[in-house]
Amino acid sequence: MDERVREHAEVLVDWSARVEAGDDVVVSVGPDAHELAVAVAEELGERGANLLATYSSDEITRAYLRAHEGEFDEAAHEKALLEEADVYLSLGGGRNTSATADVSSETRRNHREARREIREQRYDTRWVSTYHPTRSLAQQAEMAYEEYQEFAYDAILRDWESFAEEMARMKDLLDEGSEVRLVSEDTDLTMRIDDRTAVNSAASVAYDSHNLPSGEVFTAPYATEGEVTFDVPMTLRGETVRNVRLEFEDGDVVDYEAEQGESVVGDILDTDEGASRLGELGIGMNRAIDRYTDNIMFDEKMGDTVHLAVGRAYDACLPDGESGNDSAVHVDMITDVSEDSRLEIDGEVVQRDGEFRWE
Amino acid sequence: MDERVREHAEVLVDWSARVEAGDDVVVSVGPDAHELAVAVAEELGERGANLLATYSSDEITRAYLRAHEGEFDEAAHEKALLEEADVYLSLGGGRNTSATADVSSETRRNHREARREIREQRYDTRWVSTYHPTRSLAQQAEMAYEEYQEFAYDAILRDWESFAEEMARMKDLLDEGSEVRLVSEDTDLTMRIDDRTAVNSAASVAYDSHNLPSGEVFTAPYATEGEVTFDVPMTLRGETVRNVRLEFEDGDVVDYEAEQGESVVGDILDTDEGASRLGELGIGMNRAIDRYTDNIMFDEKMGDTVHLAVGRAYDACLPDGESGNDSAVHVDMITDVSEDSRLEIDGEVVQRDGEFRWE
């Protein structure tokens, strides 16, 4: 086995999920993530944790969803599993990133809505999502397989502890601030962040961070005003989406357009009330991610980018007991801030053309 | 997709597991059983059942078990899942039938014992085990892949309803009988079956039958006396075992030997008290299974064979409220009865040289 696969498993189990003896761990395995699952199983065995592997295949989901008619039930057995789980590790990695392209958006929406409580249960665990670099992900990134492996492991196998110290500077600025303004070509957006706590997303549940790789600082903005253009392309629900422009008034999206994939954007915004408000403002700081690979978990952490998500806000950003924006969706969109851009907090520039104030 | 895969899924979901709308179904997917899992997902979607797929990989099990030291916990999350499950479908099919060959028998035993309650929960569902014909199973059978597929589907895609009527004759004879005697070369064994109910194993939970393919009639004997030689070879825990000879007194194995794999047999018999008593007597009647393929689910149903299992007895064979032989194991061993053999019930021959009384 490639030594990097073992290192990936070790970072995931130790740094990211903080697995301990006796933990009940669910490992969700993508069809091509088998090798990483084997390495994770070894780490879990060494720590005396309990392992149940689930199988997460988009082809199975597609077959099930297309055959299903009418309302979806909540799956009581899956809910019971997650209620008892301490840790949930998602090892993504399929064979075709477009495997669910022909499932209708209405069916997806109904299915997502029926699974709301199951998702909440998962968010109550020490959950971490990661990807095993597969050929399908390499293809999505328009990269050769070995080239993609190097890219992915550079982003994943970092010295997370010292990286966390660097990101703490950005967190402190956001925690002390009240208003954020993002200015770039075709973008001038203000958001309130009073009383919100930024997450130093250092790829560990100990930092309220649930992605590996991570490398961003994010918070939960509100009262958004102005307009923003997301110039980094992405694939949403199997379709390419380019140059999405959103216009906000009093926190809500009042107008949207996109050069490509506009109907997907419309479907997402229509999911529920919270889907047309922001749930997240994130500052990408992982400079090992130096190119766009059309995988949101990597893209949104890219150095010199800022992303915003419509939909669900993360509890970690909110004052205790306060519920932020709620939605069945959380969809991130990204804008490049490496040129002709500035990010201000309470009128002070904290990042200009990609460079942070302390650099 | 090969039409036979769809038919397999349909037989499994409808005939075998009797899945209905709202059922909470666990589908355990082997690493190479993906295609069957997709077909099963479609069937479950059509019926409005709820699907959770688990991933059953011997390589994951090996990695976990070899890394684990000390006692195993019971996995509370897996138990909770099975407590809520109505149906459990095991879709076997890996890439290497010897994938756990280097796990110590002590570790296996400890792990099996810790999972006793989880197994019981699974047996409380409408559970069905089947195999997707894979290259690894073809290799185990010493057959070409396409040849093996034809063999497997011939055994699986039968007219189960009419086959069940034929097997009912054997069940009636066993239900009315008190003592069974098996006589063959190197075998002369008697077993009591008073008050026991035979299972007409027609590959459906409606018949208390949990294998697809099936095609056997079995009961739970006791007070076994005499000796038996199992001349059909098999692979137990990754090792080849040949010509096992067991000697019984008053229900217990008092002596054993084997031409090959004797230590595996010894390990099994040592598992616990019940492991050295019989849990099952089965009459193989599926003549579409016309050759030995070194896969117990198929081999034990082979026409013109009889098999005995040491270990756990199935509740379906026992009077209400009575507990039969209990053990963490259930290991079947097979003897060919096509020549120089007879099976008697209360002194009357019911099968001679493979031919049943009614034939």
Side-chain angles (χ1 to χ4, degrees):
Chain A
M1 186 184 283
D2 186 327
E3 196 49 43
R4 297 172 298 182
V5 179
R6 290 193 198 283
E7 289 170 29
H8 185 178
E10 195 179 336
V11 170
L12 178 67
V13 168
D14 279 348
W15 172 262
S16 296
R18 311 277 157 139
V19 173
E20 291 174 10
D23 276 341
D24 285 326
V25 182
V26 175
V27 180
S28 165
V29 184
D32 263 12
H34 175 84
E35 208 179 353
L36 177 58
V38 171
V40 167
E42 187 171 341
E43 296 292 328
L44 295 177
E46 271 176 19
R47 278 151 197 78
N50 303 319
L51 162 64
L52 177 78
T54 60
Y55 187 55
S56 180
S57 153
D58 283 346
E59 291 185 357
I60 286 178
T61 301
R62 170 191 178 271
Y64 180 77
L65 292 182
R66 282 178 60 94
H68 197 287
E69 287 177 7
E71 294 298 296
F72 290 92
D73 286 344
E74 184 181 79
H77 60 338
E78 186 172 358
K79 195 175 161 203
L81 169 70
L82 293 171
E83 272 170 3
E84 288 294 328
D86 301 302
V87 175
Y88 184 96
L89 305 177
S90 170
L91 317 183
R95 292 168 193 156
N96 173 5
T97 56
S98 299
T100 61
D102 61 355
V103 178
S104 79
S105 54
E106 190 194 345
T107 302
R108 287 167 198 273
R109 194 161 50 234
N110 291 343
H111 190 233
R112 274 193 76 82
E113 276 166 19
R115 292 176 61 77
R116 184 184 288 259
E117 279 195 51
I118 286 173
R119 268 195 310 283
E120 298 297 331
Q121 288 294 345
R122 198 174 67 215
Y123 292 143
D124 275 350
T125 68
R126 275 175 274 141
W127 66 276
V128 182
S129 291
T130 193
Y131 281 98
H132 184 59
T134 63
R135 286 170 177 82
S136 156
L137 292 168
Q139 176 176 326
Q140 182 88 359
E142 299 182 355
M143 288 166 85
Y145 179 45
E146 297 202 6
E147 180 189 16
Y148 181 72
Q149 286 179 306
E150 278 179 33
F151 162 81
Y153 289 122
D154 281 350
I156 290 165
L157 303 177
R158 294 194 57 136
D159 176 348
W160 286 104
E161 201 145 10
S162 71
F163 190 13
E165 283 169 29
E166 185 197 335
M167 288 191 290
R169 295 170 185 246
M170 190 70 222
K171 171 180 160 58
D172 291 346
L173 290 171
L174 286 168
D175 285 351
E176 287 156 19
S178 299
E179 190 180 78
V180 175
R181 183 175 174 204
L182 177 63
V183 183
S184 188
E185 205 190 334
D186 303 321
T187 294
D188 191 345
L189 199 73
T190 58
M191 295 153 274
R192 302 297 304 181
I193 56 166
D194 321 65
D195 303 324
R196 300 297 162 101
T197 305
V199 168
N200 175 351
S201 187
S204 169
V205 296
Y207 289 80
D208 290 315
S209 172
H210 300 274
N211 290 173
L212 178 65
S214 194
E216 60 167 321
V217 176
F218 65 85
T219 189
Y222 61 97
T224 313
E225 297 282 351
E227 55 186 59
V228 55
T229 297
F230 301 102
D231 56 1
V232 176
M234 70 201 87
T235 302
L236 293 179
R237 304 180 177 177
E239 281 188 49
T240 302
V241 174
R242 272 178 208 281
N243 284 325
V244 178
R245 194 187 138 276
L246 299 182
E247 191 180 325
F248 287 87
E249 277 179 26
D250 200 18
D252 284 301
V253 174
V254 292
D255 196 18
Y256 69 92
E257 59 180 17
E259 258 179 47
Q260 194 178 343
E262 188 171 286
S263 70
V264 178
V265 175
D267 280 341
I268 289 166
L269 294 172
D270 278 350
T271 308
D272 47 30
E273 269 193 35
S276 61
R277 285 193 292 268
L278 287 189
E280 182 189 349
L281 156 70
I283 322 287
M285 294 178 68
N286 190 338
R287 286 185 176 139
I289 304 175
D290 55 0
R291 57 187 289 176
Y292 159 72
T293 59
D294 201 5
N295 176 346
I296 189 64
M297 187 185 288
F298 287 74
D299 295 344
E300 65 170 8
K301 280 75 171 193
M302 196 170 10
D304 307 346
T305 64
V306 167
H307 59 278
L308 299 166
V310 291
R312 188 178 199 279
Y314 292 113
D315 287 345
C317 301
L318 305 166
D320 262 354
E322 197 170 306
S323 60
N325 194 36
D326 190 25
S327 172
V329 296
H330 177 101
V331 177
D332 296 281
M333 292 175 277
I334 306 167
T335 192
D336 185 332
V337 296
S338 64
E339 288 180 3
D340 300 326
S341 300
R342 65 183 196 274
L343 187 72
E344 298 175 3
I345 297 179
D346 298 336
E348 263 194 73
V349 175
V350 298
Q351 184 182 26
R352 184 187 300 274
D353 301 345
E355 200 168 5
F356 292 103
R357 207 171 74 177
W358 60 83
E359 290 183 317
Chain B
M1 187 183 285
D2 186 326
E3 195 50 41
R4 296 172 299 181
V5 179
R6 289 193 199 281
E7 289 171 27
H8 186 177
E10 194 179 338
V11 170
L12 177 67
V13 168
D14 279 348
W15 172 262
S16 296
R18 310 277 158 140
V19 173
E20 291 173 10
D23 276 342
D24 283 327
V25 182
V26 175
V27 180
S28 165
V29 185
D32 264 11
H34 175 84
E35 208 180 352
L36 178 57
V38 171
V40 167
E42 187 171 339
E43 296 290 328
L44 295 177
E46 273 176 18
R47 276 150 198 80
N50 303 319
L51 162 65
L52 177 78
T54 61
Y55 187 55
S56 180
S57 153
D58 283 347
E59 290 185 357
I60 286 178
T61 301
R62 169 190 179 271
Y64 179 77
L65 292 182
R66 282 177 60 95
H68 198 286
E69 285 178 9
E71 294 299 296
F72 291 92
D73 287 344
E74 184 181 78
H77 60 338
E78 186 172 358
K79 198 176 158 200
L81 170 70
L82 293 170
E83 272 171 2
E84 287 294 329
D86 301 301
V87 175
Y88 185 96
L89 305 177
S90 170
L91 316 184
R95 292 166 194 160
N96 172 6
T97 57
S98 298
T100 61
D102 61 353
V103 177
S104 79
S105 54
E106 190 194 345
T107 301
R108 287 166 198 273
R109 194 161 50 234
N110 290 343
H111 190 233
R112 276 193 74 81
E113 277 167 18
R115 293 175 59 78
R116 184 184 288 261
E117 281 195 50
I118 286 173
R119 268 196 309 285
E120 298 297 330
Q121 288 293 344
R122 198 174 67 216
Y123 292 143
D124 276 350
T125 66
R126 277 175 273 142
W127 65 277
V128 182
S129 291
T130 193
Y131 281 99
H132 184 59
T134 64
R135 286 170 179 82
S136 157
L137 292 168
Q139 176 177 326
Q140 183 87 357
E142 299 183 354
M143 290 166 85
Y145 179 44
E146 296 201 7
E147 180 189 16
Y148 182 71
Q149 286 179 305
E150 279 178 32
F151 163 81
Y153 289 121
D154 281 350
I156 290 165
L157 303 177
R158 293 193 56 136
D159 176 350
W160 287 104
E161 201 145 10
S162 71
F163 189 14
E165 282 169 28
E166 184 196 337
M167 288 191 291
R169 296 170 184 246
M170 191 71 223
K171 170 179 161 59
D172 291 345
L173 290 170
L174 287 167
D175 284 351
E176 286 155 18
S178 299
E179 190 180 76
V180 175
R181 184 174 174 206
L182 177 63
V183 183
S184 187
E185 205 189 334
D186 303 323
T187 293
D188 190 347
L189 200 72
T190 58
M191 295 153 274
R192 302 297 303 182
I193 55 165
D194 321 65
D195 303 325
R196 300 299 162 102
T197 305
V199 168
N200 175 352
S201 186
S204 169
V205 296
Y207 288 79
D208 289 315
S209 173
H210 300 275
N211 290 173
L212 177 65
S214 192
E216 59 165 322
V217 176
F218 66 85
T219 188
Y222 60 98
T224 313
E225 298 281 352
E227 56 187 59
V228 55
T229 298
F230 301 102
D231 55 1
V232 176
M234 73 201 86
T235 301
L236 293 180
R237 302 180 178 178
E239 279 189 49
T240 303
V241 174
R242 274 177 209 282
N243 283 325
V244 178
R245 193 188 139 275
L246 300 181
E247 192 181 325
F248 287 88
E249 277 179 26
D250 199 16
D252 284 302
V253 174
V254 294
D255 198 16
Y256 69 92
E257 58 180 17
E259 260 178 47
Q260 196 178 341
E262 189 170 287
S263 70
V264 179
V265 176
D267 280 342
I268 290 166
L269 294 171
D270 278 351
T271 308
D272 48 31
E273 269 193 37
S276 62
R277 285 193 292 269
L278 288 190
E280 182 187 351
L281 157 69
I283 322 287
M285 295 178 67
N286 190 339
R287 286 184 175 139
I289 304 174
D290 55 0
R291 57 188 287 177
Y292 159 74
T293 59
D294 201 5
N295 176 345
I296 191 63
M297 186 184 288
F298 287 75
D299 294 344
E300 66 170 8
K301 279 76 170 193
M302 197 172 5
D304 308 345
T305 65
V306 168
H307 60 276
L308 299 166
V310 292
R312 187 177 200 279
Y314 293 113
D315 287 346
C317 301
L318 305 166
D320 263 355
E322 199 168 304
S323 61
N325 194 37
D326 189 26
S327 173
V329 296
H330 176 102
V331 177
D332 296 280
M333 291 175 278
I334 306 166
T335 192
D336 184 331
V337 296
S338 64
E339 287 179 4
D340 300 326
S341 301
R342 65 181 195 276
L343 187 72
E344 298 174 2
I345 297 178
D346 298 337
E348 263 193 74
V349 175
V350 298
Q351 184 181 26
R352 186 187 298 275
D353 301 345
E355 201 169 7
F356 292 104
R357 209 171 73 178
W358 59 84
E359 292 183 315

